[in-house]
Amino acid sequence: MTHAQFKRPDAHVMEQVREVARCYSASCVFADVQQRGGVMHSSIKPIFPGKVVGPAVTVRLSPGDLQDPLLALHVAQAGDVVVIDAGGETETSVFGGLMGSLFKNGGVHGAIIDGACRDTDELRDIGFLLFSKAVTARGTHTMFSGRKSDVLVNVPVTCGGIVVHPGDVVVADDDGVVVVPRERTWRTCWPPPASRPSARSFHAPAPSSRGGASSSCWRSSAASSVTAMIAIDWVPPASAYRLAAGRRRAGEARGPAGHHAGRGRALQREPLERRLATGCRRARPRC
């Protein structure tokens, strides 16, 4: 039984992450800027449509002796996301309506389970979003045996094929679950100067020619913001080629910076304003 507190991401960093994650397909955007990394297996799905974003409180259960992860209530705080490693067991539910109510009362945003859940109608009614591999009526033995101490909390776990450490940031929506390591999330806190467009600017979708909001514009603006804010050493290939072509059309000398072999270094030397203005509209490489 381990339930020590852990270091959560800075509050300002989490505010930035949640602001960006308000875009469409947030999990896709955060997966793209990690070079398709940190994505849990597609079998882990939400029990109803929604989105959760927050630091991970990790729980590891014992395969073959699954118990209710009630100990996580002692350390979970408002805004956290509980990540439960149930060993992929799909025939025994480790999370239901009672625990959902308890965690929701504590301000927890949701839970991710590499296993099964139940009481989906109750969870849906109280608005507690759960992601799991399966749904089954069979619960754990905790209600009969009373045992609930054989649980490890806030230790590294494996969930959906991804190693999750306490404090890693979870971004989950209808498309899937993505994990951003805590040591990388501080890089998302890259507040733009007053001369640059604010990261909030993509929350006002431009009207389309049909009178509605342009979802592609909204999504692409969000993706560009994330690409600029998360300082990873990766440049979308389409963005690099367009920038190099723009230089050639402008009559600039085609040196090593303009050649495709040096596109990453060239873009890193570009001012952020130009990178945002000339960058990939969707910030996703074409496969």
Side-chain angles (χ1 to χ4, degrees), residues 47-49 119-128:
I47 61 173
F48 61 88
D119 303 332
T120 56
D121 51 352
E122 182 178 356
L123 292 168
R124 181 172 55 250
D125 285 347
I126 66 175
F128 188 83

Side-chain angles (χ1 to χ4, degrees), residues 210-230:
R210 300 181 181 178
S214 173
S215 60
S216 61
C217 176
W218 194 18
R219 164 67 187 275
S220 62
S221 300
S224 297
S225 298
V226 178
T227 305
M229 292 170 65
I230 299 185

Side-chain angles (χ1 to χ4, degrees), residues 255-277:
H259 191 264
H260 67 276
R263 61 183 182 269
R265 294 187 297 275
L267 281 176
Q268 289 173 6
R269 290 196 292 270
E270 284 294 317
L272 180 60
E273 295 89 341
R274 182 169 179 180
R275 286 164 57 188
L276 285 175

Side-chain angles (χ1 to χ4, degrees), residues 73-139:
L73 288 166
H74 296 289
V75 294
Q77 298 180 4
D80 288 345
V81 177
V82 180
V83 179
I84 303 172
D85 178 4
E89 170 59 50
T90 59
E91 301 306 319
T92 300
S93 166
V94 299
F95 204 103
L98 173 60
M99 279 186 291
S101 300
L102 294 173
F103 280 108
K104 185 174 178 62
N105 290 339
V108 174
H109 276 189
I112 317 293
I113 306 174
D114 193 347
C117 68
R118 67 178 190 174
D119 303 332
T120 56
D121 51 352
E122 182 178 356
L123 292 168
R124 181 172 55 250
D125 285 347
I126 66 175
F128 188 83
L129 185 53
L130 196 66
F131 293 72
S132 69
K133 274 188 171 181
V135 177
T136 179
R138 183 173 184 260

